[in-house]
Amino acid sequence: MTEENVIEIHNLQKTYDKGKIKALNGIDLEIKKGEFISIMGPSGSGKSTLLNMIGALDRAEEGTIKVAGIDLMKTRDLSEFRSQEIGFVFQMHNLIPNLSVLENVEIPMYETRVKSEEMRRRALELLEAVGLKDKADKNPTKLSGGERQRVAIARALVNHPSIILADEPTGALDSKTGDVILNLLKSLHSKKQVTLVMVTHEPYVAEMADRILHVLDGKINNSS
Amino acid sequence: MIKNPFRNRTRATLAIIGIAIGIATIVALGMVTGGLQSSTQSTLKAGSAEITVTKIGNFGSSGGVMDESMVTDLKNTNGVKDTAGILRINSNVSTSSGGSGFGSMGGFLVNGIDSSKLALVGINSVNGTIFTNGSSNEIIIGKTVAQNLNKTVGSKIDIYGTEFEVTGIFESGNFIYDIGVFTSLSTLQNLTNNTGKVSYIQVKVNDNANASQVSKTIQDERPNDLSATTAVDQANRINQSLGMIDTASWAISLLAIVIGGVGVINTMIMSVFERTREIGVLKAVGWKDRRILGMILGESIVLTLVAAVVGIILGIVAVEIIFKFFITSQSFEAVLTMDTLLKAFGVALLVGIVGGLYPAYRASRLAPTEALRYE
């Protein structure tokens, strides 16, 4: 792995349903540190599976995958890797409804050795960065869709990950709110110099990236 | 973790009620056995006699009387400090012959004893004054009798057609005595045609003597005549019965654990099921399986500990109500011991762990991608 590449994938294969469905059929991919990548493709093409592989939410059967210097095929407990290197932003914000906005942002830090005052300080700093500091004590159910997604972004960044994985982060939002979220992601990406990999359906969203990957039938078709 | 178990209020409440009823049963039974135990223990209290001597085949019944001279005989036995002869008449038997006061009472004992020997039956203090020996109309009554008959110092009580004046009310701490009355031995002997007779003899041993040994000596010297039992023996016998109640209470505890455990498993599985996505998110942000296991287990324990508190309060209230309205003769009081409390919390904790373990394990083993996809 060269120092520049934060993600290196070779011939990655993943099947579901006892081999009947080939979700990934030999993916080769290199992503440089600090890059903003969009992954496009039709439903069922394997783009979300690819994202899950990078985020170590699932394991591949064959091939190699190294992320942030860690061999994901060989590492047994991947929770620490997820905690330290990856920040997820889902289509559905997936906030925990009975915790406050602040507590939701603090959740990823429970697995680290960060002290509680520092947890609070970091979470508030990020909530300020996404413009929601004044809603820190509110319940997420009281927020709008866009606001919730901003909380989810703050949560994704709180452990200073090297990579943000966003799975259709604007999919559940109207286009205006979606733009706000995209601009926020883009600006945080450049400000924090974090690698951003985003799965999307929409070409105009994908256009914002440095590079667009097209996934079809579990393979990368071409990149532009 | 504290808030999570109560997200679904109805379900949490139902689960808590289920466990709380089990805990309440444990507490109520514990309080009753605790109360019986403490009244048993008080028969062994300092100052009172250690050995009870009766005629063979009879205990405390008016038919089994023996000669009063035995009281002095026994006092000369090696190791004996003091003896007291007591004539005990069951008021139930004799009131039918004409007593007007006790006919309705039932199961109430009239004892005759030398007033200087009251300490031997555990009566160390009397509210009022004690009776004088040989006087024909003075009596002291146990606090239970006083409560049941609504008598105070100065009240009159009719026994075998003779009017007695209550000079004092005593509390011996032994519920058998507290449901009886004491008067002068000679008065009762004359009144019941038992002159020179006693029902049983209380024997107090020397401080350095062994009660069991003295008891054996008394028994061995008059093998066909007397039977001697130490208070320890009696207490042991009562404790054996209490042991059975205790076993029953453990069986109920076990049942509570099983029923409560199933309820907790159900509640927690539903809770995990509903929060599948959330658990997926926690995994995605790097929570270890162990932490998720701990979280669900912790929630389950929070649920059962709340149930323990509710159950303990419920149990105490239930016992208080039963004792206040249904057990009118207050022969003993329910006692809440530390043991009972610890047992209640112990059972709750166990139910929490047993019931939470499987749902917690399932939650910790969820595949993150599937959990996140869960609708």
Side-chain angles (χ1 to χ4, degrees):
Chain A
M1 178 178 245
T2 64
E3 240 175 69
E4 289 233 303
N5 289 338
V6 71
I7 299 169
E8 279 188 359
I9 297 173
H10 294 293
N11 191 31
L12 201 66
Q13 304 199 18
K14 173 73 181 175
T15 58
Y16 287 115
D17 209 5
K18 289 175 188 164
K20 284 182 206 152
I21 300 164
K22 281 200 167 171
L24 297 182
N25 193 14
I27 296 272
D28 290 297
L29 174 65
E30 288 179 358
I31 294 174
K32 288 192 179 64
K33 208 171 171 184
E35 255 192 305
F36 177 5
I37 302 285
S38 285
I39 302 177
M40 290 194 75
S43 294
S45 59
K47 54 189 190 311
S48 286
T49 307
L50 176 59
L51 206 68
N52 289 342
M53 294 296 161
I54 297 171
L57 287 180
D58 209 347
R59 280 177 194 272
E61 278 119 26
E62 264 180 64
T64 59
I65 174 165
K66 277 190 182 178
V67 181
I70 292 165
D71 187 338
L72 299 187
M73 297 297 275
K74 288 182 184 151
T75 311
R76 225 170 61 86
D77 183 9
L78 292 166
S79 58
E80 197 176 325
F81 161 80
R82 287 198 293 263
S83 163
Q84 288 172 5
E85 304 293 344
I86 306 290
F88 282 98
V89 179
F90 305 98
Q91 180 176 6
M92 300 300 292
H93 51 84
N94 284 336
L95 298 177
I96 293 173
N98 62 330
L99 298 181
S100 72
V101 164
L102 183 73
E103 287 167 328
N104 265 287
V105 178
E106 285 175 345
I107 280 176
M109 290 186 281
Y110 281 98
E111 238 6 299
T112 63
R113 293 205 179 134
V114 180
K115 293 211 172 76
S116 61
E117 307 94 66
E118 171 67 4
M119 276 167 59
R120 201 182 153 79
R121 193 195 61 74
R122 265 207 231 170
L124 281 172
E125 187 186 294
L126 275 163
L127 281 173
E128 191 172 21
V130 300
L132 287 172
K133 197 180 179 184
D134 55 326
K135 304 213 165 159
D137 296 322
K138 284 235 158 43
N139 191 289
T141 52
K142 303 270 192 298
L143 304 186
S144 70
E147 285 172 330
R148 289 180 202 178
Q149 201 58 299
R150 275 145 68 191
V151 177
I153 291 169
R155 180 180 65 190
L157 286 165
V158 81
N159 274 350
H160 307 310
S162 49
I163 302 160
I164 297 281
L165 300 176
D167 194 352
E168 300 193 44
T170 60
L173 303 173
D174 61 76
S175 61
K176 210 174 150 192
T177 319
D179 285 347
V180 174
I181 294 298
L182 285 172
N183 287 327
L184 180 64
L185 273 174
K186 202 170 153 92
S187 82
L188 286 169
H189 149 253
S190 53
K191 223 185 274 174
K192 310 240 171 205
Q193 296 186 327
V194 57
T195 310
L196 178 57
V197 182
M198 183 168 69
V199 164
T200 182
H201 264 44
E202 295 161 76
Y204 90 96
V205 172
E207 292 295 340
M208 296 175 84
D210 304 331
R211 186 149 63 107
I212 302 172
L213 305 176
H214 295 273
V215 179
L216 192 67
D217 299 330
K219 281 186 172 174
I220 293 179
N221 225 11
N222 66 317
S223 60
S224 52
Chain B
M1 201 155 86
I2 308 289
K3 287 189 270 181
N4 273 336
F6 307 104
R7 273 206 234 173
N8 187 326
R9 293 239 171 91
T10 319
R11 195 171 60 213
T13 309
L14 285 174
I16 286 171
I17 289 172
I19 304 156
I21 289 172
I23 300 285
T25 317
I26 293 167
V27 170
L29 275 173
M31 284 174 77
V32 173
T33 26
L36 284 172
Q37 242 149 14
S38 72
S39 36
T40 317
Q41 273 154 9
S42 61
T43 59
L44 299 171
K45 81 178 194 186
S48 57
E50 293 92 349
I51 303 168
T52 303
V53 179
T54 55
K55 228 174 132 71
I56 275 180
N58 296 289
F59 182 80
S61 71
S62 53
V65 289
M66 56 186 145
D67 212 80
E68 204 180 338
S69 61
M70 195 66 84
V71 179
T72 332
D73 281 4
L74 288 183
K75 196 172 175 180
N76 295 327
T77 309
N78 204 11
V80 172
K81 191 179 184 182
D82 201 3
T83 55
I86 296 151
L87 180 64
R88 172 178 285 179
I89 310 291
N90 192 332
S91 68
N92 236 8
V93 179
S94 42
T95 41
S96 55
S97 66
S100 58
F102 294 130
S104 57
M105 264 298 299
F108 166 147
L109 302 165
V110 184
N111 300 281
I113 190 171
D114 188 300
S115 63
S116 62
K117 303 289 175 83
L118 281 171
L120 267 72
V121 293
I123 301 173
N124 295 314
S125 64
V126 173
N127 186 5
T129 52
I130 55 170
F131 53 84
T132 30
N133 282 325
S135 66
S136 61
N137 62 349
E138 287 177 6
I139 197 164
I140 59 170
I141 62 176
K143 69 151 194 180
T144 312
V145 177
Q147 276 166 4
N148 290 345
L149 288 181
N150 202 17
K151 299 284 183 192
T152 55
V153 174
S155 300
K156 303 278 192 246
I157 292 183
D158 202 324
I159 300 175
Y160 308 117
T162 307
E163 196 170 70
F164 281 77
E165 186 188 344
V166 177
T167 60
I169 294 167
F170 66 86
E171 184 174 354
S172 66
N174 179 338
F175 69 88
I176 304 270
Y177 287 134
D178 286 354
I179 57 169
V181 301
F182 281 82
T183 185
S184 151
L185 177 60
S186 56
T187 305
L188 194 62
Q189 283 172 335
N190 293 336
L191 201 62
T192 57
N193 296 326
N194 275 314
T195 314
K197 303 282 182 195
V198 294
S199 315
Y200 64 102
I201 300 165
Q202 289 289 73
V203 178
K204 172 135 190 72
V205 300
N206 282 326
D207 292 343
N208 55 356
N210 180 315
S212 304
Q213 214 149 26
V214 175
S215 169
K216 196 169 176 298
T217 312
I218 292 170
Q219 182 97 63
D220 289 349
E221 278 175 4
R222 301 162 189 83
N224 300 318
D225 205 15
L226 298 183
S227 156
T229 329
T230 65
V232 178
D233 288 341
Q234 287 182 34
N236 283 347
R237 232 172 292 146
I238 297 170
N239 278 339
Q240 258 176 15
S241 322
L242 289 178
M244 280 169 65
I245 302 178
D246 217 33
T247 311
S249 126
W250 273 112
I252 291 168
S253 312
L254 197 69
L255 208 65
I257 292 171
V258 172
I259 296 170
V262 171
V264 172
I265 290 176
N266 181 41
T267 307
M268 294 313 294
I269 281 186
M270 285 303 289
S271 170
V272 166
F273 198 60
E274 284 167 8
R275 286 152 61 199
T276 304
R277 270 182 90 97
E278 259 177 58
I279 291 161
V281 173
L282 293 176
K283 291 202 152 190
V285 302
W287 276 35
K288 289 193 193 319
D289 292 357
R290 221 176 28 231
R291 182 174 294 270
I292 289 166
L293 188 99
M295 177 182 77
I296 303 293
L297 206 55
E299 288 178 20
S300 164
I301 290 169
V302 166
L303 197 73
T304 54
L305 288 186
V306 170
V309 174
V310 174
I312 287 167
I313 294 169
L314 214 65
I316 294 171
V317 169
V319 167
E320 290 296 325
I321 289 173
I322 289 168
F323 270 74
K324 194 161 176 139
F325 296 107
F326 299 103
I327 301 182
T328 42
S329 80
Q330 294 184 341
S331 45
F332 70 95
E333 277 168 5
V335 177
L336 183 63
T337 59
M338 203 55 185
D339 266 14
T340 308
L341 279 180
L342 285 179
K343 193 169 152 187
F345 274 111
V347 166
L349 195 67
L350 199 64
V351 170
I353 293 169
V354 168
L357 212 51
Y358 175 65
Y361 175 76
R362 268 190 39 165
S364 74
R365 303 299 297 172
L366 277 172
T369 45
E370 277 166 41
L372 283 166
R373 231 180 293 143
Y374 186 83
E375 293 295 331

